[in-house]
Amino acid sequence: MRGAVIHGKGDVRFEERPAPTIQHPTDAVIKMSATCVCGSDLWTYRGIATVKEPTPFGHEYCGIVEEVGSAVRSVKRGQFVIGSFFASDNTCPHCRAGYQTSCQHRELVAGAQAPRLRVPLADGTLVATPDLPPDDLIPSLLALSDVMGTGWFGAEAADVKPGKTVAVVGDGAVGLLAVLSARQMGAGRVIVMSRRETRQKLARTYGATDIVPERGDDAVARIMDLTEGVGADSVVECVGTQESMMQAIKSTRPGGSIGYVGVPHGVSLDGQDLFFRHVRLHGGPAPVRRFLPQLIDLVWNRKIDPGKVFDLTLPLAEVAEGYRAMDTRRAIKTLLRP
Ligand SMILES: [Zn+2]
């Protein structure tokens, strides 16, 4: 089969790779219905995270179970399933606590930008939809594999509560879905920091009440203006730079919480500065698996439509163009169809 492989900075190729097979009795192999390009992989694409050897790329997936190992019980051939970028057993202490991305037996699921994918620990990782989905639901179901679950975790980690004021740093797909998540959780006011018109529009569709186009300390000043000098109750950080992290911390009121889901690159925090700010920090790779049943239900009943973040759809063979479009910000997020 042919799939995406990253060779180095800006070099994604669609090339021959071995087709996946069942390697362990707990594996499943799925036939991909749709996959996509993740903003977190742009760090690698831009050469900020290095590639040691050609590596199968992509970690967001949904599709039809084609084959299962002899020990798999909870999913079967022919079901439509979604899973997270980390496979998890869903039984260890960390999984039971709701942190499946810290599973004691976690395995990274890589190489999803391909027609077929091996998913380890299928029982603990994959969740089936109630039935085969209609085609128009596939983008929103695919979004649950990472980006929507990550936005949701960001909002949850930021302790979003009904009626509260939420600020979102970052207008990429995760930031936009953090807006949607905050609204679902009943936030009273959702301020999103964004300077691009198409993204501002989608943020409003998802329930943003205020848009702040400034960055850095200017953005913090605007948040303070908007909250009568208090700061936001909850802030979701969806970028991962020093500037965005400080913007999040300084925008939070004393006693407030920051959920950080942008993969940090070169971020360092000053302990004493943090001490006197009185804020909570919680983040990390989103335990998407925890949220899958609830989010599948919301999508299945058409209560949320996270698939709107896909503003570019390409055939899988054009995966390299999918990365270019996101790298240059021509696209918010690229969906790929095998
Ligand atoms: Zn586990």
Side-chain angles (χ1 to χ4, degrees), residues 87-96 99-106 121:
S88 54
D89 58 16
N90 214 24
T91 56
C92 79
H94 301 328
C95 284
R96 289 203 305 274
Y99 285 83
Q100 288 89 343
T101 32
S102 273
C103 175
Q104 290 173 336
H105 305 105
R106 74 175 184 187
L121 303 171

mmCIF file of all heavy atoms in Angstrom, residues 87-96 99-106 121, ligand 1:
data_model
loop_
_atom_site.group_PDB
_atom_site.id
_atom_site.type_symbol
_atom_site.label_atom_id
_atom_site.label_comp_id
_atom_site.label_asym_id
_atom_site.label_seq_id
_atom_site.Cartn_x
_atom_site.Cartn_y
_atom_site.Cartn_z
ATOM 1 N N ALA A 87 -2.583 4.350 21.821
ATOM 2 C CA ALA A 87 -3.348 3.164 22.181
ATOM 3 C C ALA A 87 -3.209 2.959 23.685
ATOM 4 O O ALA A 87 -2.155 3.245 24.256
ATOM 5 C CB ALA A 87 -2.812 1.958 21.427
ATOM 6 N N SER A 88 -4.278 2.485 24.318
ATOM 7 C CA SER A 88 -4.263 2.283 25.771
ATOM 8 C C SER A 88 -5.037 1.015 26.109
ATOM 9 O O SER A 88 -5.961 0.642 25.388
ATOM 10 C CB SER A 88 -4.922 3.492 26.457
ATOM 11 O OG SER A 88 -6.213 3.720 25.920
ATOM 12 N N ASP A 89 -4.665 0.388 27.240
ATOM 13 C CA ASP A 89 -5.392 -0.834 27.614
ATOM 14 C C ASP A 89 -6.738 -0.512 28.249
ATOM 15 O O ASP A 89 -7.634 -1.346 28.300
ATOM 16 C CB ASP A 89 -4.524 -1.718 28.535
ATOM 17 C CG ASP A 89 -4.082 -1.001 29.797
ATOM 18 O OD1 ASP A 89 -4.665 0.056 30.151
ATOM 19 O OD2 ASP A 89 -3.127 -1.489 30.447
ATOM 20 N N ASN A 90 -6.878 0.694 28.752
ATOM 21 C CA ASN A 90 -8.095 1.175 29.421
ATOM 22 C C ASN A 90 -8.416 0.383 30.691
ATOM 23 O O ASN A 90 -9.551 0.400 31.157
ATOM 24 C CB ASN A 90 -9.299 1.158 28.456
ATOM 25 C CG ASN A 90 -10.246 2.313 28.736
ATOM 26 O OD1 ASN A 90 -9.848 3.339 29.296
ATOM 27 N ND2 ASN A 90 -11.506 2.163 28.381
ATOM 28 N N THR A 91 -7.420 -0.288 31.252
ATOM 29 C CA THR A 91 -7.645 -1.038 32.495
ATOM 30 C C THR A 91 -6.625 -0.707 33.585
ATOM 31 O O THR A 91 -6.865 -0.989 34.756
ATOM 32 C CB THR A 91 -7.574 -2.563 32.244
ATOM 33 O OG1 THR A 91 -6.308 -2.868 31.639
ATOM 34 C CG2 THR A 91 -8.698 -3.034 31.330
ATOM 35 N N CYS A 92 -5.483 -0.131 33.242
ATOM 36 C CA CYS A 92 -4.446 0.125 34.246
ATOM 37 C C CYS A 92 -4.876 1.292 35.153
ATOM 38 O O CYS A 92 -5.855 1.970 34.861
ATOM 39 C CB CYS A 92 -3.111 0.428 33.545
ATOM 40 S SG CYS A 92 -2.994 2.118 32.924
ATOM 41 N N PRO A 93 -4.153 1.544 36.243
ATOM 42 C CA PRO A 93 -4.571 2.617 37.166
ATOM 43 C C PRO A 93 -4.696 3.995 36.492
ATOM 44 O O PRO A 93 -5.613 4.754 36.801
ATOM 45 C CB PRO A 93 -3.467 2.624 38.221
ATOM 46 C CG PRO A 93 -2.887 1.257 38.176
ATOM 47 C CD PRO A 93 -3.007 0.787 36.757
ATOM 48 N N HIS A 94 -3.793 4.309 35.570
ATOM 49 C CA HIS A 94 -3.851 5.631 34.928
ATOM 50 C C HIS A 94 -5.054 5.723 33.995
ATOM 51 O O HIS A 94 -5.711 6.763 33.918
ATOM 52 C CB HIS A 94 -2.560 5.916 34.157
ATOM 53 C CG HIS A 94 -1.334 5.880 35.024
ATOM 54 N ND1 HIS A 94 -1.356 6.246 36.353
ATOM 55 C CD2 HIS A 94 -0.054 5.512 34.762
ATOM 56 C CE1 HIS A 94 -0.145 6.103 36.876
ATOM 57 N NE2 HIS A 94 0.663 5.647 35.922
ATOM 58 N N CYS A 95 -5.334 4.640 33.290
ATOM 59 C CA CYS A 95 -6.520 4.613 32.425
ATOM 60 C C CYS A 95 -7.781 4.758 33.267
ATOM 61 O O CYS A 95 -8.680 5.523 32.929
ATOM 62 C CB CYS A 95 -6.583 3.312 31.627
ATOM 63 S SG CYS A 95 -5.434 3.257 30.240
ATOM 64 N N ARG A 96 -7.836 4.000 34.361
ATOM 65 C CA ARG A 96 -9.047 4.040 35.193
ATOM 66 C C ARG A 96 -9.241 5.426 35.795
ATOM 67 O O ARG A 96 -10.373 5.838 36.073
ATOM 68 C CB ARG A 96 -8.986 2.970 36.285
ATOM 69 C CG ARG A 96 -9.156 1.548 35.720
ATOM 70 C CD ARG A 96 -9.653 0.568 36.782
ATOM 71 N NE ARG A 96 -8.803 0.545 37.964
ATOM 72 C CZ ARG A 96 -7.719 -0.214 38.101
ATOM 73 N NH1 ARG A 96 -7.341 -1.023 37.131
ATOM 74 N NH2 ARG A 96 -7.009 -0.172 39.200
ATOM 75 N N TYR A 99 -6.771 8.925 32.466
ATOM 76 C CA TYR A 99 -5.584 9.462 31.771
ATOM 77 C C TYR A 99 -4.978 8.398 30.847
ATOM 78 O O TYR A 99 -3.836 7.975 31.015
ATOM 79 C CB TYR A 99 -4.590 10.046 32.795
ATOM 80 C CG TYR A 99 -5.139 11.358 33.284
ATOM 81 C CD1 TYR A 99 -6.091 11.395 34.297
ATOM 82 C CD2 TYR A 99 -4.820 12.552 32.637
ATOM 83 C CE1 TYR A 99 -6.691 12.585 34.675
ATOM 84 C CE2 TYR A 99 -5.412 13.746 33.011
ATOM 85 C CZ TYR A 99 -6.342 13.756 34.022
ATOM 86 O OH TYR A 99 -6.939 14.932 34.378
ATOM 87 N N GLN A 100 -5.794 8.011 29.856
ATOM 88 C CA GLN A 100 -5.389 6.928 28.948
ATOM 89 C C GLN A 100 -4.150 7.267 28.131
ATOM 90 O O GLN A 100 -3.463 6.360 27.663
ATOM 91 C CB GLN A 100 -6.556 6.587 28.009
ATOM 92 C CG GLN A 100 -7.698 5.850 28.690
ATOM 93 C CD GLN A 100 -8.730 6.790 29.269
ATOM 94 O OE1 GLN A 100 -8.501 7.983 29.457
ATOM 95 N NE2 GLN A 100 -9.909 6.259 29.553
ATOM 96 N N THR A 101 -3.850 8.561 27.947
ATOM 97 C CA THR A 101 -2.629 8.919 27.220
ATOM 98 C C THR A 101 -1.389 8.738 28.098
ATOM 99 O O THR A 101 -0.269 8.898 27.633
ATOM 100 C CB THR A 101 -2.700 10.360 26.676
ATOM 101 O OG1 THR A 101 -3.482 11.155 27.572
ATOM 102 C CG2 THR A 101 -3.324 10.404 25.300
ATOM 103 N N SER A 102 -1.575 8.437 29.384
ATOM 104 C CA SER A 102 -0.461 8.051 30.256
ATOM 105 C C SER A 102 -0.553 6.573 30.605
ATOM 106 O O SER A 102 0.066 6.126 31.581
ATOM 107 C CB SER A 102 -0.460 8.874 31.548
ATOM 108 O OG SER A 102 0.240 10.084 31.366
ATOM 109 N N CYS A 103 -1.317 5.810 29.853
ATOM 110 C CA CYS A 103 -1.477 4.366 30.101
ATOM 111 C C CYS A 103 -0.113 3.716 30.331
ATOM 112 O O CYS A 103 0.854 4.020 29.643
ATOM 113 C CB CYS A 103 -2.164 3.710 28.896
ATOM 114 S SG CYS A 103 -2.272 1.915 29.029
ATOM 115 N N GLN A 104 -0.071 2.807 31.307
ATOM 116 C CA GLN A 104 1.191 2.103 31.595
ATOM 117 C C GLN A 104 1.643 1.253 30.405
ATOM 118 O O GLN A 104 2.797 0.869 30.330
ATOM 119 C CB GLN A 104 1.022 1.230 32.843
ATOM 120 C CG GLN A 104 0.883 2.069 34.112
ATOM 121 C CD GLN A 104 0.557 1.245 35.348
ATOM 122 O OE1 GLN A 104 0.008 0.158 35.242
ATOM 123 N NE2 GLN A 104 0.878 1.778 36.520
ATOM 124 N N HIS A 105 0.727 0.956 29.495
ATOM 125 C CA HIS A 105 1.072 0.145 28.320
ATOM 126 C C HIS A 105 0.815 0.902 27.023
ATOM 127 O O HIS A 105 0.559 0.300 25.989
ATOM 128 C CB HIS A 105 0.278 -1.170 28.354
ATOM 129 C CG HIS A 105 0.481 -1.928 29.624
ATOM 130 N ND1 HIS A 105 -0.461 -1.989 30.622
ATOM 131 C CD2 HIS A 105 1.567 -2.601 30.085
ATOM 132 C CE1 HIS A 105 0.015 -2.686 31.642
ATOM 133 N NE2 HIS A 105 1.250 -3.068 31.357
ATOM 134 N N ARG A 106 0.856 2.232 27.103
ATOM 135 C CA ARG A 106 0.486 3.012 25.926
ATOM 136 C C ARG A 106 1.449 2.767 24.758
ATOM 137 O O ARG A 106 2.637 2.470 24.958
ATOM 138 C CB ARG A 106 0.442 4.502 26.254
ATOM 139 C CG ARG A 106 1.817 5.117 26.408
ATOM 140 C CD ARG A 106 1.726 6.607 26.622
ATOM 141 N NE ARG A 106 3.067 7.175 26.679
ATOM 142 C CZ ARG A 106 3.327 8.437 26.988
ATOM 143 N NH1 ARG A 106 2.332 9.268 27.296
ATOM 144 N NH2 ARG A 106 4.561 8.880 27.001
ATOM 145 N N LEU A 121 -3.753 -2.785 21.140
ATOM 146 C CA LEU A 121 -4.658 -2.733 22.292
ATOM 147 C C LEU A 121 -6.074 -2.309 21.872
ATOM 148 O O LEU A 121 -6.677 -1.401 22.453
ATOM 149 C CB LEU A 121 -4.113 -1.748 23.345
ATOM 150 C CG LEU A 121 -2.696 -2.050 23.866
ATOM 151 C CD1 LEU A 121 -2.172 -0.901 24.719
ATOM 152 C CD2 LEU A 121 -2.669 -3.349 24.671
HETATM 153 ZN ZN ZN B 1 -3.743 1.833 30.790
#
